[in-house]
Amino acid sequence: PAWPFGFGLSYTNFSYHDLALSAASIMPAVSPTGDDGGAPVLEASFSVTNTGTRDGAAVPQVYVAAKEKWVPRPLRELRGWKKVFLKAGETKQVTIPLYGRSFAYFNAYKKAWAVEGGDYEIELGVSSADIALRAAVTVSGDGSESLYENLPAAAPDYYAGGAIGAGKNLVIGDRAFEAVYGRPLPPSARLPGEPYTINTTLSEIQDTKLGRYILAEAEKNIAQTFGGEAAGDMRLMVEKMLGDLPLRGLGMMGEVSQPVINAMVDVLNKKPFAGLKLSFRMAKKKK
């Protein structure tokens, strides 16, 4: 991205100092549905000073970063922020509360929200890439992160650089993704003999009579939209887009209704009377 998450410009400058936490260790709790009771478990307090010559507003951001983790999570997660208006030269004390949910993650094995124990850093940032201050806190978890203890071996791609998210330009293979996903990935293309569905792409039906008709009509409509036949790179882009378009996407063009799409699927699957139903739907639409 051109700019990091949380980035912003101002006509003045700010400095941050004296980050302090209300506790050195906490025991946050969340219900399986993610309810944390609404009471803060930790407060991050700090000072912000407008060091410029103009009045302005700062937006300090508090991130939570698990330092020792088995659970696949981002390097840091935004958990609180506050907009603070300061006159030139003014300093204000700011407190941002953190809740049980601020330390929670969704445990895919338990299918419930949980808290991973270990050492965390509370980071005060100007953006996700510009961390001004850090403070440590120890979190007592519920232990359910142990369900992930075999994941580093099964999905090493996620742990590149020694910590999840620490590496740049990570390439995640299918086996690693399946290990995290918890089930086999669906095929990337329709298998031979598999029934057609509304998620079947136009490229997957291009060898059928109905598929050739749909593609021809779609290309005709695209040509009309561009005021003639699309040429060069634009035409290649349009053809690629059409090939990857699922049948359900035809409805977004405003020309094909859902009942007609369903009838098309029936025709492709060679269901009895499907062609008659489709003809009736199309005839009704023309009226």
Side-chain angles (χ1 to χ4, degrees):
W3 307 105
F5 179 81
F7 175 83
L9 296 174
S10 175
Y11 287 106
T12 187
N13 299 303
F14 303 94
S15 66
Y16 301 87
H17 42 93
D18 302 329
L19 174 63
L21 304 181
S22 59
S25 60
I26 57 174
M27 189 180 294
V30 295
S31 71
T33 58
D35 181 22
D36 59 15
V41 296
L42 187 69
E43 291 184 336
S45 300
F46 53 91
S47 297
V48 54
T49 300
N50 183 343
T51 59
T53 59
R54 296 174 181 267
D55 299 348
V59 185
Q61 304 152 34
V62 171
Y63 294 86
V64 171
K67 308 312 293 181
E68 303 171 1
K69 50 193 176 184
W70 282 339
V71 181
R73 301 172 73 171
L75 190 61
R76 58 179 55 93
E77 299 172 275
L78 179 67
R79 293 310 193 202
W81 68 90
K82 185 172 289 186
K83 188 172 185 177
V84 186
F85 183 81
L86 296 160
K87 294 182 179 180
E90 184 181 10
T91 297
K92 283 185 179 180
Q93 183 78 7
V94 180
T95 297
I96 295 180
L98 297 171
Y99 304 86
R101 186 66 177 266
S102 303
F103 299 87
Y105 70 98
F106 188 80
N107 190 302
Y109 297 98
K110 292 179 61 178
K111 294 182 172 53
W113 287 91
V115 175
E116 182 177 15
D119 294 330
Y120 284 69
E121 278 190 345
I122 306 303
E123 302 177 333
L124 176 62
V126 181
S127 73
S128 62
D130 186 0
I131 304 301
L133 300 169
R134 291 179 171 87
V137 64
T138 300
V139 175
S140 295
D142 54 30
S144 59
E145 66 269 16
S146 62
L147 296 171
Y148 288 83
E149 62 182 341
N150 295 322
L151 198 56
D157 298 351
Y158 281 90
Y159 297 80
I164 302 169
K168 294 182 178 180
N169 300 321
L170 293 179
V171 177
I172 307 300
D174 288 350
R175 290 185 62 185
F177 190 89
E178 286 179 342
V180 174
Y181 186 47
R183 67 193 70 178
L185 293 177
S188 58
R190 176 181 170 273
L191 299 176
E194 188 177 41
Y196 295 99
T197 71
I198 60 172
N199 294 317
T200 299
T201 64
L202 296 188
S203 64
E204 293 172 334
I205 64 171
Q206 61 183 346
D207 293 330
T208 67
K209 185 176 181 179
L210 178 59
R212 288 192 292 271
Y213 171 78
I214 293 174
L215 280 168
E217 289 297 311
E219 288 175 352
K220 188 185 300 182
N221 288 339
I222 292 294
Q224 291 176 354
T225 300
F226 284 95
E229 290 190 5
D233 293 340
M234 180 63 70
R235 181 171 183 82
L236 291 174
M237 183 188 73
V238 171
E239 289 177 349
K240 179 63 176 175
M241 179 192 71
L242 286 176
D244 292 336
L245 185 71
L247 288 171
R248 56 182 165 78
L250 294 174
M252 294 186 296
M253 296 181 178
E255 297 294 326
V256 185
S257 66
Q258 188 60 48
V260 170
I261 294 173
N262 293 339
M264 289 178 178
V265 173
D266 287 343
V267 170
L268 290 168
N269 288 320
K270 300 179 179 180
K271 289 188 176 181
F273 306 110
L276 181 62
K277 181 169 65 173
L278 178 59
S279 299
F280 174 76
R281 296 281 189 188
M282 296 298 288
K284 187 176 181 182
K285 182 180 181 301
K286 289 180 180 179
K287 290 181 179 180

